[in-house]
Amino acid sequence: MTFTTRALGDGDRQEAVRVEEAAAPGYPYLNDAWDYFLRQTEGDLTGVFLDEKLVGVGKLTRLFHDYGWLETLRVDPQYQGQGAGKAIYAAYLKEASERGLRALGMYTGSKNVISRHLAEKNGLALAGTFDEYVLPAKDVIPHHHFQQVEVAQAEAILSPHYKDMGGFVSLNQTYYPAKEGLGACMAANGWLYQSDKGDLIIVGARFQPERGLHVAFVSNDTKSAIDFALSLAKAKGSVNLQAMRVEGRDCGDLLDCGFEKSPRQLITLWGAV
């Protein structure tokens, strides 16, 4: 069985969504993220074909600097275990090298042995395990004013906190390395805010904000920052706030704000190109 790959375009949208619906019916997002993936990110949405039939998809995204992210790997269940996923990874690695990326990451569920094994076979290794916390959206009146941080100031403001981030910050299950350039990336996307008393919060969504805003980092006064995030969620029509924290880390500040730990646990794997 011989698979071929190529970059997908708008004409492939319906078939790509069909593949995702078959492969991951519990969490579809490709249709909503289509324009974002194709027009607002650097990196191909790749299709894997058997003859003329699209049987799998995968997206490579440059996060910032030379860090790449492997996402939306979906293979039609009829063709799983036959080499389609391997073909997508081969396309990932070839494109990553051509774009000058030096490190690649992905995520999966902590119990998804097949996904983890495929990533490890392609040179990635476990880099972090994270627990999820969720807070339903509700009406609040923030006690402090937060405003977006300008890109020019972002690195100086955020970089002193990199050591406290557990290696990564996460939005939409995308794990951004806590490395030089993160601050500018967060600010450029409009996700980094600072209060009138100096508190920081990274909060936002790459796509599907209605399904939740992601609280990636909070400094100092967590209650004040979460109240702001709740007001932002209300304005954007988001149903909840979601936060990922390193497994075993003290999350009392989130629990005190009403977050509850969900059953979901995720891992991120990273490797050199």
Side-chain angles (χ1 to χ4, degrees), residues 67-272:
Y67 298 105
W69 186 246
L70 312 178
E71 55 189 327
T72 323
L73 198 162
R74 306 283 189 258
V75 175
D76 187 316
Q78 298 179 66
Y79 302 94
Q80 290 178 5
Q82 300 177 52
K86 180 180 179 181
I88 293 174
Y89 260 95
Y92 276 156
L93 295 173
K94 180 176 183 293
E95 183 187 356
S97 178
E98 291 172 348
R99 292 185 181 275
L101 298 175
R102 296 185 182 181
L104 295 175
M106 57 83 71
Y107 94 93
T108 190
S110 61
K111 297 180 180 179
N112 191 332
V113 177
I114 294 175
S115 178
R116 177 173 179 172
H117 180 61
L118 182 60
E120 290 175 336
K121 284 183 65 176
N122 284 277
L124 279 65
L126 181 66
T129 302
F130 295 81
D131 294 321
E132 181 183 59
Y133 294 81
V134 178
L135 174 65
K138 59 184 179 181
D139 291 323
V140 297
I141 300 176
H143 295 291
H144 294 277
H145 174 68
F146 281 77
Q147 64 181 12
Q148 290 179 331
V149 175
E150 297 290 336
V151 174
Q153 286 78 47
E155 197 65 25
I157 289 173
L158 193 62
S159 60
H161 300 279
Y162 290 169
K163 65 183 184 303
D164 304 318
M165 293 178 176
F168 303 91
V169 299
S170 173
L171 296 98
N172 292 89
Q173 290 76 57
T174 303
Y175 288 81
Y176 293 78
K179 302 286 188 179
E180 180 185 355
L182 176 66
C185 173
M186 295 294 104
N189 282 284
W191 300 330
L192 178 60
Y193 297 83
Q194 186 175 41
S195 76
D196 49 17
K197 63 173 187 170
D199 298 326
L200 296 173
I201 183 170
I202 298 173
V203 58
R206 296 179 66 211
F207 46 80
Q208 292 187 321
E210 70 281 359
R211 297 186 64 165
L213 293 187
H214 302 267
V215 178
F217 175 73
V218 176
S219 73
N220 302 327
D221 187 348
T222 300
K223 178 64 166 59
S224 175
I226 295 302
D227 281 351
F228 164 72
L230 284 168
S231 70
L232 194 63
K234 185 70 174 179
K236 293 180 177 293
S238 308
V239 298
N240 60 33
L241 297 179
Q242 303 169 27
M244 305 301 301
R245 289 285 181 90
V246 175
E247 179 187 30
R249 191 166 187 172
D250 181 12
C251 294
D253 61 331
L254 293 181
L255 298 176
D256 288 344
C257 291
F259 280 82
E260 292 187 358
K261 186 178 180 182
S262 84
R264 188 162 68 156
Q265 186 179 73
L266 304 178
I267 59 175
T268 185
L269 296 90
W270 282 78

Side-chain angles (χ1 to χ4, degrees), residues 4-23:
T4 60
T5 60
R6 66 167 172 81
L8 299 181
D10 288 327
D12 302 299
R13 185 171 186 165
Q14 184 175 350
E15 279 298 287
V17 170
R18 175 193 60 78
V19 168
E20 184 193 40
E21 289 175 345

